Structure formats: structure tokens, C-alpha cells
């Protein structure tokens, strides 16, 4: 009987186009998730701690193409399903944690642009969060026959201990007033302020009557404010995902680089000491970003002492999945095989009768990769995945072509010199490794 597990065309196309371009799909991650179960389990504990009002900090380290971005998106998906709000951004030459030339504010604006909730996972959900907060205030005011604006002020009193809370509360109130007065401009200006899009205090004062804006010096303070605000709006907390941290390693100016490292230290200390609430940070970078003692995080002694590998875990040859720094393990050939079966399944829309390749071809493709590029095909699988998607794409468009001709005519059964394990037998043990983690 043919297996039928329908995959929506929208998800199928999104997955295929993303993998073909070598980037992480935003939709349908669960269709191609393989391995990393222990790492995911560790991050789920972090998400639960954030949801309970605590905080978390993780540094994810892996080589280029090892799956860091995919891992971040998977953690983000789980966080959304558990009721958190997420923000994510890639660092770049004009987006940093610390700056004096607007680059930190650029990062904040990108994070807010990508703010997502379970009902709006694609981003641009900040307006929805504010609306949800105000709706709850209106409901409370009606239930107790109070003034809505007074209720808003009362609910926002919990933010009073945070830097910038006064103007933050004033902007939220202005959004409500804009709603009451049918002023879409005031509402738009309020969201612009929350997005960090005002470049001068004068402009913000003219638009909203506030005396401060999001700038390079207070980005982290506003992230902490947002973490508490989303909780007041009825969500469990805020998860901040930052990718491409290697851009800090590439900074040529030593002072600028160390200032960014100091910001990371401040965030780490707040999260691990429990002074931050309802917020978590997951930062992803390459090994040199962490380990280089000249330009990496280990060049900063305070960070090196906090991020060093667990000595006893290393001595015992095991991994501490509760450590602040999590090194993504290499994908095994078995993991790669299961991943290829899932990609084949996506191409077939979940219908086994539509498979473009038999199981034998998958092993043949892996043997081909092993012979051409060695064990790097599973250590950094991005190129292998792209090649496999290209292969399936060609076969889909040209049904007369034979897979053996396209990958060098490898005869798997006759390949007596292959050192590859019997990955076919391992398939059933690896499929569905996320079943315990309900997405």
C-alpha cells in the first residue's frame, strides 16, 4: 500500500526552492528534520524556563553549512508553538550588537521587523502584539467599569524598573489614543517608534511627544522591555535568535570588536544570573568566532572562562547538552540518508508512488558524494543537499533520464570497496526523531 502523507504545495515549493538555493526553509521544517534530538531537547528546557519567567543564553557553534541556521529556525518554531514571541536577525557589516554609528539600531529594527507569533510566523507581528495588549486592557476596563487609559498605565507599571519604560508606556498609550481618535498616523508612528525606526529625538517628540528613541546605546534595554511587554500581552516570553555572529569576528577595529564582546558578556551575565526575565538569546557562529584567541570570543578572558567546554564531559568523551556553548555534532551517514529520504518525500508530495528515485539510488548518491568530496559531505551537508535537490529536479523535468547516468553509473550492489555503513538498515531507527517533540 502506498504511503500517503500529504505535503501542501506551498510547503513543498518553499522547501525545494530554499534547499536549492542553499538556505533554510521558513515553512515545513518538520518535513525534513533529522537528528539533533539531544541538542533540541536542551533548547526545549531553555524555552520552558523562559516561559516560566526565567531567562536563557545559548551559543550554537558549527562549521559553515553544518546546519546552524536550520537549527535556529527549528528552535524558533518550537518556541512559537509553546507560546513565545520570537525575533531573529543575521548580523552583517551594518548590523551589530554595539555601535556608535547606527549599526546596533539597524539590528534592533531588523529584529522587530521579524517579530513573530504563532499566528503570524512570517514576521511583522508587532502591531498584533500591541493590539492584543490593548484588547486585554479594554476587556479589563469594561469588566471593572474603569477608564481604558488608566488600565493601560496600571498594567505597564510592571515595566517601571526598566530603562526607557516611561517613553515606552507613553508610546503604547499613544497607539490606543490613535485608535480612539481614528488617527492611523499616530498608530503608525507608534509602531515606527517600537520598531526603532526614528533616527532623531526631535522627530519622535514631534510625532509622539516622547523624549527618547531606540538608539545604539539602549538596544539591549529595549529588548528586555519587549520581553516583559509580550508577557503582559499574554505571551510566554521572548526568544532572540541571532545568526552569522562571525561578522563580529571579522571586525577590523579592535575596540569595536571588544565593545561587541562586552555586550555579549552583559547579556550572558544577565541571563545566567537571573536578572533578566522572560527572555532568551540563542547566538550562532563558527568555531573561529568562539575559539580564536586573537579575534574570537576567547580573546576576551571573561567570556573564555564562561564559554569554555565542560572539562569532565570532554575527558569522558561525552557532550554536556546543558552547557552554555553547544557544538553541533557532525551529521552521521545515517542521518544524511534519512534526510535524503525526506527530501525525496517532499518532491513526491508525500506519495510513495511518486518517488523519483529508489532506495538503491540514495545509497548510490551517497557513495558518489563520499568518493568525490570525502567525509565533508556529512560534516557540512549543505552542498550535498543542494546537489541532491538538483538531481531530483533534473529527473522530475526529464523522466527519460536514468539516475545511474547522472551520478557516474555507480553500481551499489557491486561496490565492494565502499566503506559506507549499512545505512539502509539504520533508516527505521532514525526516522521521526522529533516525534517526542510535538511541534
Amino acid at each position: 500500500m502506498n504511503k500517503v502523507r500529504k505535503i501542501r504545495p506551498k510547503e513543498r515549493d518553499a522547501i525545494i526552492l530554499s534547499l536549492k538555493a542553499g538556505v533554510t526553509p521558513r515553512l515545513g521544517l518538520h518535513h525534513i528534520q533529522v537528528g539533533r534530538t539531544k541538542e533540541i531537547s536542551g533548547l526545549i528546557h531553555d524555552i520552558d524556563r523562559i516561559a516560566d519567567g526565567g531567562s536563557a543564553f545559548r551559543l550554537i557553534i558549527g562549521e559553515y553549512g553544518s546546519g546552524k541556521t536550520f537549527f535556529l529556525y527549528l528552535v524558533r518554531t518550537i518556541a512559537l508553538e509553546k507560546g513565545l514571541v520570537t525575533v531573529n536577525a543575521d548580523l552583517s557589516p551594518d548590523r551589530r550588537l554595539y555601535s556608535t554609528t547606527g549599526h546596533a539600531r539597524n539590528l534592533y529594527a531588523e529584529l522587530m521587523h521579524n517579530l513573530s507569533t504563532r499566528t503570524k510566523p512570517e514576521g511583522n507581528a508587532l502591531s498584533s502584539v500591541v493590539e492584543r495588549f490593548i484588547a486585554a486592557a479594554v476587556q479589563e476596563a469594561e469588566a471593572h467599569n474603569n477608564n481604558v487609559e488608566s488600565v493601560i498605565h496600571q498594567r505597564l507599571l510592571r515595566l517601571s524598573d526598566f530603562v526607557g519604560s516611561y517613553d515606552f508606556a507613553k508610546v503604547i498609550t499613544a497607539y490606543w489614543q490613535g485608535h480612539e481618535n481614528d488617527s492611523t498616523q499616530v498608530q503608525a508612528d507608534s509602531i515606527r517608534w517600537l520598531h526603532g525606526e526614528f533616527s532623531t529625538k526631535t522627530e519622535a517628540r514631534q510625532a509622539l511627544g516622547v523624549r527618547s528613541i531606540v538608539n545604539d546605546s539602549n538596544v539591549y534595554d529595549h529588548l528586555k522591555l519587549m520581553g516583559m511587554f509580550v508577557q503582559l500581552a499574554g505571551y510566554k516570553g521572548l526568544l532572540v535568535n541571532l545568526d552569522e555572529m562571525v561578522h563580529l569576528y571579522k571586525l577590523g577595529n579592535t575596540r569595536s570588536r571588544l565593545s561587541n564582546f562586552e555586550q555579549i558578556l552583559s547579556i550572558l551575565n544577565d541571563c545566567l544570573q537571573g536578572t533578566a526575565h522572560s527572555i532568551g538569546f540563542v547566538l550562532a557562529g563558527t568555531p573561529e568566532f568562539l575559539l580564536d584567541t586573537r579575534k574570537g570570543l576567547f580573546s576576551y578572558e571573561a567570556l573564555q572562562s564562561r564559554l569554555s567546554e565542560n572539562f569532565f564531559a570532554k575527558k569522558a568523551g561525552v557532550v554536556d547538552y546543558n552547557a552554555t556553548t553547544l557544538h553541533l555534532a557532525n551529521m552521521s551517514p545515517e542521518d544524511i540518508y534519512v534526510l535524503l529520504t525526506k527530501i525525496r518525500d517532499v518532491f513526491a508530495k508525500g506519495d510513495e508512488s511518486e518517488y523519483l528515485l529508489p532506495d538503491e539510488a540514495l545509497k548510490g548518491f551517497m557513495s558518489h558524494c563520499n568518493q568525490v568530496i570525502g567525509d565533508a559531505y556529512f560534516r557540512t551537508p549543505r552542498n550535498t543537499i543542494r546537489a541532491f535537490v538538483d538531481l531530483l529536479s533534473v529527473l522530475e523535468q526529464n523522466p527519460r533520464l536514468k539516475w545511474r547516468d547522472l551520478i557516474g553509473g555507480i553500481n551499489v550492489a557491486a561496490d565492494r570497496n565502499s566503506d559506507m555503513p549499512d545505512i539502509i538498515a539504520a533508516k527505521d531507527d532514525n526516522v521521526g526523531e522529533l516525534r517526542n517533540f510535538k511541534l
Side-chain angles (χ1 to χ4, degrees):
M1 183 175 179
N2 288 337
K3 177 182 67 175
V4 178
R5 179 174 59 87
K6 290 186 178 181
I7 298 175
R8 292 182 298 171
K10 181 180 179 180
E11 288 185 331
R12 176 189 183 273
D13 293 344
I15 293 170
I16 292 173
L17 290 174
S18 296
L19 295 181
K20 194 175 182 66
V23 298
T24 299
R26 284 180 174 263
L27 292 175
L29 288 181
H30 58 286
H31 291 304
I32 56 174
Q33 162 58 22
V34 172
R36 311 283 193 218
T37 52
K38 292 182 178 179
E39 292 93 335
I40 293 169
S41 180
L43 269 295
I44 287 176
H45 288 307
D46 289 351
I47 292 170
D48 290 338
R49 186 161 60 251
I50 297 167
D52 287 337
S55 55
F57 181 96
R58 289 282 188 151
L59 187 63
I60 309 299
I61 298 298
E63 298 283 357
Y64 286 108
S66 62
K68 297 186 298 299
T69 302
F70 184 95
F71 186 79
L72 288 184
Y73 270 92
L74 185 61
V75 171
R76 170 183 173 272
T77 300
I78 295 171
L80 292 174
E81 290 296 321
K82 284 182 172 285
L84 273 69
V85 173
T86 68
V87 293
N88 62 278
D90 292 349
L91 268 67
S92 67
D94 65 343
R95 290 201 291 262
R96 308 173 193 166
L97 286 169
Y98 176 89
S99 173
T100 57
T101 55
H103 294 159
R105 186 169 66 87
N106 289 344
L107 176 63
Y108 182 85
E110 180 68 12
L111 287 169
M112 292 302 107
H113 175 74
N114 292 327
L115 188 144
S116 303
T117 64
R118 183 176 181 178
T119 56
K120 294 195 70 173
E122 71 282 356
N124 288 316
L126 184 53
S127 296
S128 298
V129 173
V130 175
E131 292 276 2
R132 179 167 171 170
F133 171 82
I134 290 177
V138 170
Q139 186 176 11
E140 181 180 338
E142 291 176 348
H144 297 89
N145 197 26
N146 288 336
N147 178 270
V148 174
E149 195 166 316
S150 298
V151 173
I152 290 175
H153 280 295
Q154 186 65 35
R155 291 168 66 88
L156 292 175
L157 280 178
R158 288 183 57 186
L159 305 180
S160 59
D161 292 336
F162 291 84
V163 176
S165 60
Y166 177 79
D167 280 338
F168 187 94
K170 197 168 183 179
V171 169
I172 299 299
T173 304
Y175 187 93
W176 158 250
Q177 293 170 343
H179 172 77
E180 281 293 277
N181 299 325
D182 292 325
S183 176
T184 56
Q185 184 60 51
V186 171
Q187 289 180 294
D189 286 339
S190 299
I191 296 301
R192 280 186 62 210
W193 191 93
L194 293 171
H195 272 153
E197 294 176 359
F198 280 104
S199 57
T200 66
K201 295 179 182 179
T202 300
E203 186 184 5
R205 184 167 62 250
Q206 292 173 347
L208 298 167
V210 295
R211 296 181 176 274
S212 68
I213 59 173
V214 179
N215 55 39
D216 286 335
S217 65
N218 60 19
V219 163
Y220 177 45
D221 293 323
H222 276 270
L223 284 174
K224 289 190 288 186
L225 266 174
M226 190 59 66
M228 290 298 296
F229 178 69
V230 299
Q231 188 184 56
L232 294 176
Y235 299 93
K236 297 293 183 64
L238 179 69
L239 181 67
V240 182
N241 282 351
L242 297 175
D243 202 357
E244 303 295 346
M245 296 297 294
V246 70
H247 281 286
L248 300 184
Y249 167 80
K250 294 177 180 179
L251 289 175
N253 187 293
T254 302
R255 184 173 181 179
S256 177
R257 188 170 61 250
L258 291 179
S259 294
N260 275 273
F261 290 173
E262 287 174 356
Q263 187 68 280
I264 292 175
L265 177 63
S266 177
I267 295 172
L268 187 152
N269 285 339
D270 279 355
C271 291
L272 299 189
Q273 292 172 353
T275 55
H277 304 284
S278 303
I279 191 169
F281 293 81
V282 183
L283 283 55
T286 56
E288 62 265 27
F289 162 69
L290 173 69
L291 302 173
D292 193 302
T293 54
R294 293 186 308 107
K295 297 173 61 179
L297 293 181
F298 276 14
S299 67
Y300 199 92
E301 186 175 350
L303 284 172
Q304 182 176 7
S305 63
R306 288 163 174 77
L307 299 175
S308 295
E309 192 173 354
N310 186 321
F311 170 79
F312 297 101
K314 185 176 181 180
K315 186 175 181 179
V318 297
V319 177
D320 179 7
Y321 294 101
N322 292 323
T324 304
T325 302
L326 191 59
H327 295 262
L328 291 186
N330 295 337
M331 292 187 72
S332 67
E334 291 84 359
D335 288 334
I336 291 292
Y337 178 81
V338 175
L339 177 57
L340 296 185
T341 65
K342 291 192 173 189
I343 295 174
R344 178 182 64 175
D345 200 47
V346 169
F347 262 84
K349 301 177 184 177
D351 187 351
E352 188 177 299
S353 66
E354 298 295 323
Y355 283 171
L356 296 169
L357 290 170
D359 289 346
E360 179 189 18
L362 303 186
K363 190 173 181 182
F365 177 80
M366 292 182 65
S367 296
H368 170 74
C369 291
N370 192 40
Q371 293 171 15
V372 173
I373 59 176
D375 64 355
Y377 82 93
F378 66 87
R379 284 192 290 107
T380 53
R382 177 185 295 160
N383 290 335
T384 300
I385 293 170
R386 289 182 64 184
F388 187 66
V389 171
D390 287 343
L391 172 63
L392 290 176
S393 181
V394 169
L395 290 173
E396 183 179 47
Q397 298 174 64
N398 302 276
R400 294 184 179 180
L401 291 177
K402 304 299 182 182
W403 66 266
R404 293 181 185 275
D405 297 330
L406 294 175
I407 61 174
I410 295 175
N411 187 331
V412 178
D415 189 7
R416 306 299 184 187
N417 297 321
S418 174
D419 294 327
M420 293 193 61
D422 188 4
I423 54 181
I424 302 293
K427 173 185 175 183
D428 292 334
D429 293 331
N430 286 275
V431 171
E433 290 177 320
L434 268 189
R435 285 173 183 164
N436 293 328
F437 307 128
K438 186 177 180 180
L439 293 180

